[in-house]
Amino acid sequence: PHARGPWSPDMLHGRLLGGLAARALEDRHGEPGLHFARLTVDLFRNSPLLPVTVETSLVRDGRRIRVADAVISTSQGAIGRVSAVLLRKGEQPDGERAVTTPPWDEQPPSGPPAQGRGGWIPPFELWQLSGWGLPGPGRVWMRETHALVDDEPLTPLVRAALAADFASPLSNSQPDGLRFINADYTLTLARLPEGELVGLEATGHASAEGVATGQVTMHDAAGPIGFCLVTAVANPPMRGTR
């Protein structure tokens, strides 16, 4: 039951597709010294609650960069695709950067997470740090409560890929609900998250004629880890889910 999404009771949640693809790509193409710097998840077809297959392929394997793709399918056909860029770790350049993203001033949560309302309860712990859909940067802490695959612990990459899908509701919501459903998300990571908590801060939204784009900065308890950018299309509003 926790695999269903908020838009329909029989619809597989899109966040799981990014998580499953990240798991497969990490397992088959990960390597010590190579860092998953980008993960682009295309969510081009809704799926009912069916078994999911992930097939991966190596696109390029160079000295400093590796590129791999994944296709996510059910018995009804392909429902998504994912591309990953892995970069070789090296010496960090010294000196000051012209632009830096500072750590946010939110401390890790100490109280219980928010309780879901309405027909859909988030299948993860959620601490809402700002008013939902109100002006200003929306902020949340998230923590997964379910295994993606039975009896497997979540890796930091998979944890980040699952959390990144929340960039869409966080950046595209308004006070009366969520009126956009995302078609993709692109997660970029300078480093992997430490610990179980992932924080998201909405830092941008633009929309016109039913098409939206939004961005968030992603954090862990130690500071910023990367960014996520989404595109979304207008959809009948989803209300009372947070």
Side-chain angles (χ1 to χ4, degrees):
H2 59 265
R4 73 180 183 94
W7 298 98
S8 172
D10 62 350
M11 178 178 163
L12 186 69
H13 202 307
R15 69 194 303 268
L16 303 180
L17 306 187
L20 288 170
R23 170 186 175 270
L25 289 164
E26 186 176 36
D27 179 62
R28 300 168 194 171
H29 303 290
E31 177 184 306
L34 282 175
H35 170 68
F36 277 84
R38 178 179 64 77
L39 197 74
T40 295
V41 181
D42 293 323
L43 305 170
F44 53 73
R45 184 179 181 184
N46 296 335
S47 174
L49 298 175
L50 295 173
V52 174
T53 299
V54 183
E55 297 181 355
T56 73
S57 60
L58 184 64
V59 177
R60 183 184 186 275
D61 196 12
R63 184 175 63 89
R64 303 180 67 188
I65 182 171
R66 177 176 294 174
V67 180
D69 289 348
V71 176
I72 311 159
S73 305
T74 70
S75 60
Q76 297 183 348
I79 60 174
R81 65 182 180 183
V82 178
S83 64
V85 172
L86 293 76
L87 300 179
R88 180 73 60 185
K89 294 180 180 180
E91 183 178 353
Q92 174 72 0
D94 58 10
E96 294 184 3
R97 247 58 67 185
V99 178
T100 60
T101 299
W104 66 357
D105 54 1
E106 302 288 355
Q107 297 299 313
S110 57
Q115 298 298 312
R117 303 190 306 271
W120 184 77
I121 298 175
F124 45 81
E125 292 182 325
L126 180 68
W127 289 266
Q128 187 175 324
L129 308 174
S130 59
W132 187 252
L134 298 179
R139 291 179 170 185
V140 297
W141 283 110
M142 300 174 60
R143 181 164 61 199
E144 298 298 324
T145 55
H146 297 282
L148 182 65
V149 175
D150 287 345
D151 302 321
E152 284 189 14
L154 296 177
T155 68
L157 175 65
V158 171
R159 192 178 299 279
L162 288 168
D165 180 76
F166 203 75
S168 180
L170 194 61
S171 63
N172 292 324
S173 287
Q174 51 200 73
D176 61 348
L178 177 58
R179 295 175 177 266
F180 293 93
I181 184 171
N182 61 313
D184 69 7
Y185 64 88
T186 293
L187 169 66
T188 61
L189 293 169
R191 61 177 178 85
L192 295 175
E194 302 173 4
E196 296 183 342
L197 289 168
V198 177
L200 285 80
E201 178 182 33
T203 49
H205 168 94
S207 57
E209 298 183 275
V211 175
T213 181
Q215 65 181 18
V216 303
T217 302
M218 300 188 65
H219 300 257
D220 62 12
I225 61 174
F227 306 93
C228 187
L229 182 72
V230 302
T231 65
V233 63
N235 206 58
M238 179 176 66
R239 297 186 177 92
T241 60
R242 298 284 184 264

